[in-house]
Amino acid sequence: MVPALMAAVSLRAATLPEDRVEAMYHRYDGGGVVVDGPAMAIRRHITNDVSVGAEYYVDSISAASVDVVTSASPYSEQRTETGMTVDWLYGATLMGATYTHSTESDYESNNYGLAVSQDIFGGMTTVTMGYAHGDDTVMRNDTDFEEPIDRDDFRLGLTQVLTPTLLATVDYEAITEEGYLANPYRSARVLGAQVPEQYPGTRTTQALSVAGLKSWDEDTAVSAGYRYFTDTWDVTAQDIELGATRYLGNRWVVDLSYRYYTQNGASFYSDDFDREYNYMARDKELSDFRSHAVGARVSWLFHDSLPFGLSRANVTFAYDYMRFDYDDYTDLRTGDPYEFDTQLLQIYFTTWY
Amino acid sequence: MRITAAVALIVFSLTGCVRLEPWVKPYEREVLADPIMSISRDPMLDRYRQHVFDTREAARGGTVSAGGGCGCN
């Protein structure tokens, strides 16, 4: 089961999105899981102050991850996601609404989002607010199990021009969920014996991030970001991300990035419980772990001689290498703490028209 | 130096010493308009990469390219 990708409107400035087409092939391969598929998106002004968009996204999943092979059976499935967006510009205010539907054989998700973005202070400051509501259904393929999840998502963001070469952003997001929040297939362990996981029926998460983007010289930009996360399951997490972008001539752009993530696990997580408790989880995503990710992107820009009246376009190859190290999650096949490497490849084309 | 001046201006303004005025004029924002100064230059690439992290971590939200809520199970 995979979360929805395009659930809420994300407005950063009170200007309408450009008319643009995006297409992507993505492939994730690591930890026994392969996910690949295409994605497409289109944006178009229908009047001077209204823009509409549509998105289509497919994940073909082949999963034989460590928790699947040690407590269930490997599986293959497909997730399909479609989304629609409309934005309306009124003076210095941009309002947006979106609907996203995601479906797979044992999970269905519907998300409805609203967002407002307002430029103030001579255009140096942009304030954004967003709300999204989600209705999900969790199912099992082998039984008639079916349970709902209700979700409310609140966001507040600020983008500030600090100098002619420096931008800063601050974002806060709170998400509350109520319903069946466990995985119906996964097991916990009690003194080595596998038992069904038991999760609380509610969860509230909060995340606060700050980021800066600086023009280093006329060809180079550098960025840095930090996020702090906490929730009512006693998970705390932090991540930092550093990036650099540079033009090479007028045809190429290269991006390099590094991300470090660390988290302390949920209060009801254990690799192996000493007795049965009301709440028990053995989801490695709720354990203590660290991850590193290094990435590179190369973009080839097209400015001229484009057919069909297109104004510009680019093709991008993006590659990320990630490593995950778990402190308190045993690989039951070897008896050692679990760790894995993974790779993400994205091939991307976009054009403006 | 400009950052220090900006922070000082905000502090003085909040304490009522100075009336806060926009200090970066529209004609000074040419560099900020360059595509490499976009917070998310290629939205689909950034959203999917963030999605990969969201599905493997307990943390979610608060990022520019975050997709809002999810049914993370």
Side-chain angles (χ1 to χ4, degrees), chain A residues 206-331:
Chain A
Q206 297 184 80
L208 178 68
S209 68
V210 293
L213 182 60
K214 165 78 176 166
S215 174
W216 195 260
D217 60 36
E218 64 179 9
D219 291 326
T220 311
V222 294
S223 62
Y226 168 80
R227 178 176 65 161
Y228 179 78
F229 171 89
T230 184
D231 73 7
T232 51
W233 291 355
D234 288 342
V235 175
T236 57
Q238 300 178 74
D239 59 75
I240 58 165
E241 180 149 9
L242 306 173
T245 303
R246 182 168 175 81
Y247 285 109
L248 299 177
N250 62 357
R251 290 279 181 200
W252 297 88
V253 178
V254 175
D255 294 87
L256 299 174
S257 65
Y258 169 73
R259 181 179 186 269
Y260 174 71
Y261 174 88
T262 180
Q263 77 173 40
N264 295 318
S267 58
F268 55 94
Y269 170 88
S270 177
D271 191 34
D272 192 3
F273 288 91
D274 57 359
R275 63 176 177 87
E276 290 214 30
Y277 292 85
N278 286 339
Y279 300 126
M280 297 184 293
R282 191 175 179 269
D283 176 0
K284 64 183 184 300
E285 279 86 47
L286 293 178
S287 71
D288 296 355
F289 75 90
R290 286 152 281 121
S291 73
H292 301 266
V294 289
R297 291 181 187 177
V298 178
S299 298
W300 186 19
L301 315 179
F302 303 86
H303 305 290
D304 42 38
S305 305
L306 292 170
F308 312 117
L310 302 176
S311 61
R312 59 194 167 104
N314 68 259
V315 174
T316 300
F317 293 86
Y319 174 82
D320 286 273
Y321 169 82
M322 306 169 193
R323 178 172 179 82
F324 294 78
D325 290 291
Y326 297 86
D327 297 331
D328 186 27
Y329 184 85
T330 303
D331 184 344

Side-chain angles (χ1 to χ4, degrees), chain A residues 7 55 57 107 162 182 209 247, chain B residues 23 34 47-48 56 62 67 71 73:
Chain A
E55 297 182 300
Y57 178 93
Y107 202 93
L162 289 173
S209 68
Y247 285 109
Chain B
W23 60 89
D34 192 293
R47 271 205 309 270
Y48 182 69
R56 283 155 191 86
N73 286 294

Side-chain angles (χ1 to χ4, degrees), chain B:
Chain B
M1 197 63 189
R2 288 190 84 130
I3 300 171
T4 309
V7 171
L9 196 60
I10 291 169
V11 171
F12 280 128
S13 176
L14 291 175
T15 55
C17 298
V18 173
R19 181 159 178 257
L20 195 59
E21 297 280 352
W23 60 89
V24 181
K25 306 298 181 195
Y27 57 83
E28 294 180 300
R29 298 177 199 166
E30 183 183 353
V31 169
L32 299 175
D34 192 293
I36 68 169
M37 287 296 287
S38 300
I39 290 166
S40 180
R41 196 168 80 244
D42 295 316
M44 182 180 279
L45 279 176
D46 294 330
R47 271 205 309 270
Y48 182 69
R49 181 173 178 270
Q50 185 60 46
H51 172 73
V52 168
F53 292 127
D54 287 346
T55 54
R56 283 155 191 86
E57 298 169 350
R60 60 186 181 181
T63 59
V64 169
S65 48
C70 66
C72 307
N73 286 294

Side-chain angles (χ1 to χ4, degrees), chain A residues 25-352:
Chain A
Y25 168 76
H26 61 275
R27 181 180 174 85
Y28 170 93
D29 188 348
V33 177
V34 176
V35 182
D36 72 340
M40 291 194 71
I42 185 167
R43 271 280 183 179
R44 178 78 180 169
H45 285 69
I46 54 171
T47 69
N48 283 340
D49 48 18
V50 175
S51 168
V52 295
E55 297 182 300
Y56 175 73
Y57 178 93
V58 176
D59 271 340
S60 293
I61 304 156
S62 170
S65 60
V66 60
D67 48 350
V68 167
V69 296
T70 54
S71 66
S73 301
Y75 63 90
S76 297
E77 66 177 351
Q78 180 168 299
R79 185 176 75 92
T80 304
E81 185 170 317
T82 50
M84 291 174 288
T85 304
V86 58
D87 290 315
W88 175 38
L89 182 64
Y90 182 78
T93 306
L94 185 63
M95 290 162 277
T98 192
Y99 168 69
T100 305
H101 176 71
S102 169
T103 182
E104 54 196 296
S105 61
D106 53 8
Y107 202 93
E108 194 163 308
S109 175
N110 290 288
N111 275 279
Y112 315 85
L114 295 170
V116 178
S117 176
Q118 174 76 43
D119 282 351
I120 58 174
F121 197 50
M124 283 184 61
T125 307
T126 304
V127 179
T128 61
M129 288 182 289
Y131 169 75
H133 179 76
D135 290 316
D136 294 3
T137 305
V138 186
M139 295 166 277
R140 271 190 77 127
N141 281 328
D142 52 353
T143 69
D144 58 1
F145 174 88
E146 191 173 306
E147 291 287 341
I149 298 176
D150 273 351
R151 184 175 45 258
D152 293 293
D153 180 343
F154 306 88
R155 309 168 149 212
L156 190 59
L158 184 80
T159 302
Q160 179 68 50
V161 174
L162 289 173
T163 76
T165 59
L166 178 62
L167 283 173
T169 64
V170 181
D171 287 275
Y172 170 79
E173 186 166 359
I175 302 170
T176 64
E177 284 180 311
E178 186 172 350
Y180 186 84
L181 304 179
N183 182 320
Y185 301 103
R186 190 183 295 119
S187 301
R189 285 201 305 160
V190 177
L191 299 173
Q194 296 197 347
V195 299
E197 286 191 319
Q198 297 288 339
Y199 280 36
T202 60
R203 185 187 187 198
T204 299
T205 68
Q206 297 184 80
L208 178 68
S209 68
V210 293
L213 182 60
K214 165 78 176 166
S215 174
W216 195 260
D217 60 36
E218 64 179 9
D219 291 326
T220 311
V222 294
S223 62
Y226 168 80
R227 178 176 65 161
Y228 179 78
F229 171 89
T230 184
D231 73 7
T232 51
W233 291 355
D234 288 342
V235 175
T236 57
Q238 300 178 74
D239 59 75
I240 58 165
E241 180 149 9
L242 306 173
T245 303
R246 182 168 175 81
Y247 285 109
L248 299 177
N250 62 357
R251 290 279 181 200
W252 297 88
V253 178
V254 175
D255 294 87
L256 299 174
S257 65
Y258 169 73
R259 181 179 186 269
Y260 174 71
Y261 174 88
T262 180
Q263 77 173 40
N264 295 318
S267 58
F268 55 94
Y269 170 88
S270 177
D271 191 34
D272 192 3
F273 288 91
D274 57 359
R275 63 176 177 87
E276 290 214 30
Y277 292 85
N278 286 339
Y279 300 126
M280 297 184 293
R282 191 175 179 269
D283 176 0
K284 64 183 184 300
E285 279 86 47
L286 293 178
S287 71
D288 296 355
F289 75 90
R290 286 152 281 121
S291 73
H292 301 266
V294 289
R297 291 181 187 177
V298 178
S299 298
W300 186 19
L301 315 179
F302 303 86
H303 305 290
D304 42 38
S305 305
L306 292 170
F308 312 117
L310 302 176
S311 61
R312 59 194 167 104
N314 68 259
V315 174
T316 300
F317 293 86
Y319 174 82
D320 286 273
Y321 169 82
M322 306 169 193
R323 178 172 179 82
F324 294 78
D325 290 291
Y326 297 86
D327 297 331
D328 186 27
Y329 184 85
T330 303
D331 184 344
L332 299 179
R333 299 166 298 187
T334 65
D336 296 326
Y338 185 58
E339 59 188 33
F340 75 101
D341 303 326
T342 189
Q343 303 176 79
L344 173 64
L345 173 69
Q346 295 166 283
I347 301 170
Y348 175 77
F349 171 78
T350 184
T351 186
W352 291 259

